[in-house]
Amino acid sequence: MIYKYFKHFLAIIVTIFLAVPFFMFQGISVEAAPLTNLSDSMSRLKIALTSNHEIKFVTPSGVAAGQNIIYTFDPAFTLGAIDFNDVDFAEGATSNCSGVFTEKTLAAAPVGATWGVSVGASTVTITSGTDTINTNRCVRLKIGTNAIFQTTGVNQITNPATAGSYSISMSGTFGDSGTTLVQIITDDQVAVTANVGTTLSFSISDNIIDFDTLNPTFAKYATPGANSGGSTNPNTVGHSLSASANSTGGYTVTVKGATLTSGANSITVIGNTATASTPGTEQFGLRLVVTNPGPNTGAVVSPYDSATDFAYGADANTTSVVALATTPTSQTNYDAYYVANIDSLTEAGSYSTTLTYVATANF
C-alpha cells in the first residue's frame, strides 16, 4: 500500500518536473513582426555597374530610442566607400510608402536626435540616439547619388558580377525583419534608334512679275503676273516666297541673276548696301519682309531686310543670300518687293531678266 502511494507520488513529481520547463519556455519566446511593403528600387540592374538603392518597408513595431536597423546585402554586392554622406534615412507620415517622408539627421555615430550610420562589408546599420520611429510607419533608405538631404552622395553600391536574384534583408534590435529581392541582369538597357528624313519645303507664288513702262520722274514697283502694269506704290508685293526645313542648321535662300537687261544695255543695280529709291537715277533692287514672324521662323538677311530701302548684290554668276534660318524652322512666308528706276539717258528697249531663287537645307 505504501509502495503504491509512493509510486503515485513519484509520477506526480515527474509530471510536474517535465511540465515546468515547457511552461517556462512558452513564457519567454518572442516572435519578431514581419516587415511589410518591402521594396528596393535601383537605378541600374546591369551586372557589375554602380547603382543607387531606395529601400522601403513598413515597420509594425517602430524603432525605439537606442535601437537599430541592419540592412544586409547579399555579399555579391560591393558597398565600397559608402558612408553616411551617401545615405538618406526618412520616416513616412503614414504606412503609405508613396506618401510624404521626413528626413532624419545622420552622422557617423548616433548622438541625441542624430542617427548613426555604420557600413560594413555587406551591411548598413542605422542606429537611433534618442529619436524614434512610430509604429506602422513606412521607412525609406536611399543609398547613392540619390541621397541629397544633408549633402549629395557621391558613392554607389556596385552590382554583382553575375546575373541572378539577390537578397537585401532588414533586421536589428528594433525587432522586425524581412527580406526583399532584386534581379540583376546582363544588360538593363535597350538601344533605340530611329531616322527622321530631312524635309525642305520651298515655293514661289508668282513666276512672272512686271514693271511695265519705266519713267525717269517716278519709281516703278513690280506687280505679279505678265503685263500686270507695275505700280507706283512702294508697298506693292511682286511675289511671295515660302520656306521651311527640319534640318539642324535650318536653310539658306539665295538669289542669282543679272539686272534688267536689253541687249548690250542694262539698268544699274543698287548693290549690297540698302538704298532709298531715287527716281532719275538708274536702280534695280529688291527687299523682303517676313509676314509671319515667330520663334520658329526664318529671317531676311541684310541688306535686304530694310523696311523701306532696296538692294541687289547678285549677278548672272554670283548668288546673294536673301533669307536664312539657323535651326529647324516652321514655314516662313516672305513678301518680295522690287524697284526699278531710270535716268533720262537710259537706253530705250525691252528690258528683262530671270532671277533664280534656291533654298538649301543646312546640316
Side-chain angles (χ1 to χ4, degrees), residues 150-353:
Q150 291 174 253
T151 185
T152 299
V154 295
N155 300 300
Q156 297 174 292
I157 295 174
T158 303
N159 291 338
T162 304
S165 183
Y166 295 88
S167 65
I168 299 96
S169 299
M170 281 65 69
S171 60
T173 59
F174 77 122
D176 299 341
S177 63
T179 299
T180 187
L181 298 175
V182 293
Q183 188 71 29
I184 303 302
I185 59 179
T186 303
D187 198 342
D188 59 354
Q189 294 184 326
V190 176
V192 181
T193 62
N195 293 318
V196 177
T198 302
T199 60
L200 173 65
S201 174
F202 184 63
S203 63
I204 301 175
S205 64
D206 296 275
N207 297 107
I208 299 176
I209 59 175
D210 179 41
F211 285 106
D212 199 27
T213 302
L214 303 180
N215 192 297
T217 62
F218 54 84
K220 291 295 294 285
Y221 302 93
T223 51
N227 302 314
S228 56
S231 174
T232 58
N233 182 352
N235 294 316
T236 301
V237 176
H239 63 79
S240 297
L241 305 173
S242 178
S244 65
N246 69 346
S247 48
T248 55
Y251 61 80
T252 301
V253 179
T254 60
V255 64
K256 178 181 179 181
T259 183
L260 288 168
T261 303
S262 176
N265 302 318
S266 62
I267 294 175
T268 305
V269 297
I270 292 177
N272 283 315
T273 301
T275 303
S277 170
T278 306
T281 300
E282 284 194 358
Q283 290 178 313
F284 174 73
L286 68 89
R287 64 183 180 89
L288 283 81
V289 174
V290 174
T291 61
N292 62 332
N296 296 312
T297 54
V300 180
V301 174
S302 176
Y304 302 101
D305 58 348
S306 172
T308 57
D309 296 344
F310 296 82
Y312 191 74
D315 59 33
N317 301 306
T318 305
T319 62
S320 182
V321 178
V322 296
L324 182 69
T326 57
T327 60
T329 307
S330 57
Q331 178 174 307
T332 305
N333 299 322
Y334 303 88
D335 280 349
Y337 301 81
Y338 293 82
V339 66
N341 281 307
I342 59 173
D343 61 30
S344 59
L345 299 178
T346 300
E347 296 85 356
S350 180
Y351 288 76
S352 65
T353 187

Side-chain angles (χ1 to χ4, degrees), residues 6-47:
F6 176 78
K7 184 178 180 182
H8 179 67
F9 175 76
L10 184 60
I12 293 173
I13 294 298
V14 171
T15 301
I16 292 173
F17 178 78
L18 293 174
V20 168
F22 175 77
F23 287 117
M24 289 176 64
F25 178 77
Q26 289 291 94
I28 63 172
S29 70
V30 176
E31 184 177 355
L35 300 171
T36 61
N37 297 349
L38 294 88
S39 67
D40 182 7
S41 177
M42 299 173 59
S43 60
R44 295 298 303 270
L45 298 177
K46 185 176 179 177
I47 55 173

